[in-house]
């Protein structure tokens, strides 16, 4: 499903974000990517939806080599991938419903389908009652759940999360991770980048440990 | 999970196949998005009236100057046209003593010219009678030899075009002709002036078009800066460049269109204010200017404004997305 073959990413200042990274994550797996700040977790995640490109090596998603994929097909690729960020990336001037509906509107779904699926997604993250609220009226935890609902409303094949619990307390963090586990259970391939080792250790999930842009270790599930 | 990869897991393609049904829904989605962009574009005028209307008025002023010159050129043409129709008469004075046969041949030759509408011969006797009537004299002394020449009154179809000028030259060089009137020359000059204004206004429109593109582009660039995060998010969730740029195209086109319409209003107001002095001038030459709502001008300026706004949005939007958003 997700395949990195000798991938390196060198920035314009000469610094390597990633160096010779190789791994293959089969469909439907949940994997944690961990490491210190600056170890290359975010760089790695940005390569998957083609938001950034490797300077050498190959990234394949579902068998497609992203370097060979025409640029005009990137939007179609991205509609198959849900992304959750640490800092929410919600539109503050719009309501909860509109924020969650955005990926479906972009993909051109019918309004009745959008309503049905947005309400289902909000129900799943426990915020159906807040669908008319403005985003800036919600707490940090609620905003992150809106973020998750938006990432999942398009029924993506892959879910990427970059430090999804960075601003949340331990209890909420665990709740968010449980939701990711639920989506993994229904067949979504989930990649979560986090440096919260304490939380990660409570889940029986394989981990890719990055250090200075290289894979330091791959820990299989225990 | 393998560190040394082997492409084992095959998933269905991430790029869905289009069916007839999805094509229909894609068309519906496209229409819905256009409708939404139009609605949002109009809503921006209400939500941010100061910046939007400042831009619209700047566009209007820039478009109004060449538009006004264009209208003025049309009005001068109108005056010139009226005078040309009136002045399409040429008096050909033949040499004294030209016999009737020669006069008849000459008149027939004139009538055969394509640019001649009509000819009328005034023999010397008729001329003398007309002179006596104008002088309020019953009759002039018949003992005095009639000094007047035969005059051929010629009416031309288009007195100021090249063919008419060539015909005049040919008439002047005819051995029977003593002299001819030169009344159309200054009408020609008037028309040359109007043509100059006409051409100047198009050049100004072309040059000021760049100004309009810059004015709209600057407003849209500021708007894009505000929406940078939103555009990055839309790119991330699978929005195409066209999807991202579409609201901007509507904003640019609406501002341009309204700028063109306001420019037309400014020109109309200016013309209305200038009607009295223009008509005073025109009345001296037997014509009059009527200021009517310039529908053609309104449509033309609206269309030019709309096109420039759309072009500006395309240029600015594409450049912004290329540099600021990973689309």
């Amino acid at each position: 499903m997700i395949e990195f073959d000798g991938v390196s990413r060198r920035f314009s200042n000469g610094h390597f974000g990633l160096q010779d990274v190789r791994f293959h994550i089969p469909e439907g797996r949940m994997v944690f990517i961990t490491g210190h700040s600056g170890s290359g977790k975010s760089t790695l995640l940005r390569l998957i939806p083609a938001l950034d490109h490797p300077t050498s090596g190959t990234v394949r998603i579902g068998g497609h080599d992203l370097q060979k994929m025409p640029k005009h097909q990137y939007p179609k690729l991205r509609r198959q991938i849900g992304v959750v960020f640490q800092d929410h990336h919600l539109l503050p001037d719009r309501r909860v419903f509109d924020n969650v509906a955005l990926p479906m509107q972009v993909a051109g779904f019918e309004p009745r389908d959008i309503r049905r699926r947005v309400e289902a997604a909000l129900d799943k993250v426990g915020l159906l009652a807040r669908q008319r609220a403005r985003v800036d009226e919600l707490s940090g935890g609620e905003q992150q759940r809106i973020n998750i609902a938006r990432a999942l409303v398009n029924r993506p094949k892959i879910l990427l999360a970059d430090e999804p619990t960075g601003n949340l307390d331990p209890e909420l963090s665990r709740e968010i991770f449980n939701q990711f586990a639920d989506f993994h259970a229904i067949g979504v391939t989930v990649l979560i980048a986090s440096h919260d080792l304490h939380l990660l250790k409570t889940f029986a999930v394989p981990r890719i440990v990055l250090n200075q842009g290289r894979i330091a270790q791959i820990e299989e599930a225990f | 999970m393998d560190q040394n990869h082997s492409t084992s897991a095959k998933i269905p393609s991430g790029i869905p196949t289009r069916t007839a049904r999805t094509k229909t829904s894609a068309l519906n989605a496209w229409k819905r998005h256009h409708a939404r962009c139009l609605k949002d574009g109009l809503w921006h005028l209400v939500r941010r009236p100061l910046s939007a209307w400042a831009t619209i008025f700047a566009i209007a002023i820039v478009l109004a100057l060449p538009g006004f010159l264009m209208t003025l050129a049309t009005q001068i043409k109108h005056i010139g046209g009226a005078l040309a129709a009136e002045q399409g008469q040429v008096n050909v004075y033949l040499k004294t003593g030209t016999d009737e046969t020669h006069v008849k041949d000459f008149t027939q030759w004139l009538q055969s010219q394509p640019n001649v509408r009509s000819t009328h011969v005034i023999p010397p006797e008729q001329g003398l009678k007309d002179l006596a009537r104008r002088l309020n004299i019953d009759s002039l002394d018949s003992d005095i030899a009639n000094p007047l020449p035969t005059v051929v009154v010629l009416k031309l179809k288009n007195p100021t075009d090249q063919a008419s000028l060539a015909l005049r030259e040919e008439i002047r060089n005819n051995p029977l002709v003593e002299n001819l009137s030169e009344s159309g020359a200054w009408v020609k000059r008037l028309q040359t002036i109007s043509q100059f204004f006409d051409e100047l206004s198009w050049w100004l429109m072309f040059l000021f078009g760049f100004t309009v593109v810059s004015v709209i582009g600057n407003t849209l660039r500021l708007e894009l800066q505000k929406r940078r995060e939103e555009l990055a998010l839309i790119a991330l969730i699978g929005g195409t460049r066209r999807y991202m740029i579409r609201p901007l195209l509507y904003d640019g086109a609406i501002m341009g269109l309204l700028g063109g319409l306001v420019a037309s209003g400014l020109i109309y107001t200016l013309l209305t204010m200038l009607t009295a002095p223009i008509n005073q001038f025109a009345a001296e030459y037997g014509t009059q200017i009527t200021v009517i709502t310039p529908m053609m001008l309104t449509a033309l300026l609206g269309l030019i404004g709309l096109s420039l706004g759309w072009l500006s949005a395309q240029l600015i939007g594409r450049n912004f997305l290329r540099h600021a958003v990973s689309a």
Side-chain angles (χ1 to χ4, degrees), chain A residues 1 3 5 22-27 29 31 46 51 62 64 69 73 75-76 78-80 83 85 89 91 94 102-103 105-106 108-111 150 157 206 208 215 218 220, chain B residues 1-16 18 21 24-26 28-29 32 36 47 227 229-230 232-241 243 326-327:
Chain A
M1 180 64 147
E3 201 177 330
D5 186 4
R22 294 167 195 272
F23 62 83
H24 174 220
I25 300 171
E27 187 178 1
R29 296 292 295 271
V31 175
R46 283 177 61 80
L51 292 172
H64 295 283
M69 183 181 275
Q73 289 195 351
K76 288 176 186 170
R78 290 170 186 163
R79 287 172 200 174
Q80 305 284 315
V83 184
F85 298 98
H89 282 247
L91 303 177
R94 301 202 193 165
L102 195 60
Q105 286 169 347
V106 167
F109 281 85
E110 294 290 332
R150 188 184 61 196
K157 291 187 169 64
I208 296 174
I215 294 183
I218 290 187
E220 291 297 333
Chain B
M1 185 175 62
D2 309 321
Q3 184 169 5
N4 293 319
H5 73 91
S6 59
T7 312
S8 54
K10 293 287 178 194
I11 58 151
S13 167
I15 299 149
R18 278 199 164 180
R21 189 171 174 275
T24 313
S25 37
N28 288 338
R32 273 198 306 275
R36 187 177 179 146
R47 207 174 56 182
R227 293 182 53 209
E229 280 199 16
E230 183 185 340
L233 176 65
I234 291 173
L236 178 70
I237 61 179
T240 60
R241 276 174 183 260
Y243 184 92
S326 313

Side-chain angles (χ1 to χ4, degrees), chain B residues 214-228:
Chain B
S214 308
V215 169
I216 295 177
N218 194 47
T219 307
L220 295 178
R221 196 176 53 78
L222 295 173
E223 176 68 22
L224 280 171
Q225 291 291 351
K226 281 188 219 160
R227 293 182 53 209
R228 181 189 282 259

Side-chain angles (χ1 to χ4, degrees), chain B residues 8-326:
Chain B
S8 54
K10 293 287 178 194
I11 58 151
S13 167
I15 299 149
T17 312
R18 278 199 164 180
T19 62
R21 189 171 174 275
T22 59
K23 270 183 185 172
T24 313
S25 37
L27 183 66
N28 288 338
W30 181 81
K31 284 185 198 164
R32 273 198 306 275
H33 193 232
H34 273 279
R36 187 177 179 146
C37 290
L38 176 64
K39 194 174 142 193
D40 286 350
L42 294 172
W43 177 239
H44 285 166
L45 299 177
V46 182
R47 207 174 56 182
R48 288 192 296 273
L50 199 65
S51 63
W53 285 101
T55 306
I56 288 166
F57 276 105
I59 297 163
I61 290 164
V62 170
L63 287 178
L65 180 60
F68 179 69
L69 280 179
M70 208 180 285
T71 314
L72 206 61
T74 312
Q75 300 287 24
I76 291 173
K77 264 187 204 164
H78 181 72
I79 296 173
L83 288 172
E86 188 186 81
Q87 299 293 333
Q89 179 177 306
V90 178
N91 297 334
V92 183
Y93 300 94
L94 301 183
K95 285 181 176 164
T96 312
T98 307
D99 64 50
E100 271 185 36
T101 319
H102 283 111
V103 172
K104 198 175 172 185
D105 289 348
F106 179 67
T107 312
Q108 277 174 351
W109 173 75
L110 283 175
Q111 280 170 344
S112 68
Q113 299 304 308
N115 211 22
V116 172
R117 197 189 313 156
S118 65
T119 57
H120 170 60
V121 179
I122 304 172
E125 301 76 30
Q126 181 64 44
L128 196 64
K129 277 182 191 167
D130 289 348
L131 183 63
R133 196 177 64 246
R134 284 186 189 183
L135 294 173
N136 259 342
I137 302 168
D138 286 341
S139 64
L140 287 169
D141 191 347
S142 56
D143 292 339
I144 302 168
N146 186 350
L148 297 177
T150 301
V151 178
V152 183
V153 178
L154 188 64
K155 288 202 172 162
L156 297 172
K157 285 178 185 163
N158 191 347
T160 56
D161 71 1
Q162 283 302 319
S164 294
L165 294 175
L167 179 64
R168 281 159 191 264
E169 203 52 38
E170 209 173 337
I171 295 168
R172 189 178 287 110
N173 293 335
N174 192 301
L176 299 177
V177 175
E178 182 70 44
N179 198 6
L180 78 159
S181 62
E182 293 286 353
S183 58
W186 76 273
V187 176
K188 177 75 181 169
R189 280 199 288 276
L190 190 64
Q191 290 199 334
T192 309
I193 291 169
S194 81
Q195 201 175 348
F196 167 74
F197 274 117
D198 206 15
E199 281 174 20
L200 180 71
S201 59
W202 280 108
W203 277 107
L204 282 177
M205 188 68 87
F206 181 71
L207 288 172
F208 285 17
F210 284 109
T211 315
V212 173
V213 169
S214 308
V215 169
I216 295 177
N218 194 47
T219 307
L220 295 178
R221 196 176 53 78
L222 295 173
E223 176 68 22
L224 280 171
Q225 291 291 351
K226 281 188 219 160
R227 293 182 53 209
R228 181 189 282 259
E229 280 199 16
E230 183 185 340
L231 290 171
L233 176 65
I234 291 173
L236 178 70
I237 61 179
T240 60
R241 276 174 183 260
R242 281 185 194 167
Y243 184 92
M244 286 187 268
I245 217 171
R246 199 166 289 145
L248 205 67
L249 293 179
Y250 272 89
D251 283 352
I254 288 170
M255 276 194 281
L257 174 68
L258 289 176
L261 297 181
V262 174
S264 153
L266 288 176
I267 293 167
Y268 178 63
T269 308
L270 206 57
L271 277 179
T272 308
M273 286 162 61
L274 291 175
T275 304
I278 290 176
N279 273 341
Q280 203 175 352
F281 166 74
E284 289 176 21
Y285 299 95
T287 184
Q288 191 179 0
I289 306 301
T290 309
V291 179
I292 53 164
T293 314
M295 290 303 289
M296 275 297 289
L297 186 77
T298 306
L300 181 70
L301 287 176
L303 190 68
I304 288 172
L306 187 145
S307 308
L308 291 174
W310 181 88
L311 176 71
S312 178
Q314 278 281 4
L315 295 174
I316 293 292
R318 285 187 184 281
N319 187 51
F320 185 87
L321 291 181
R322 193 163 44 244
H323 291 108
V325 179
S326 313

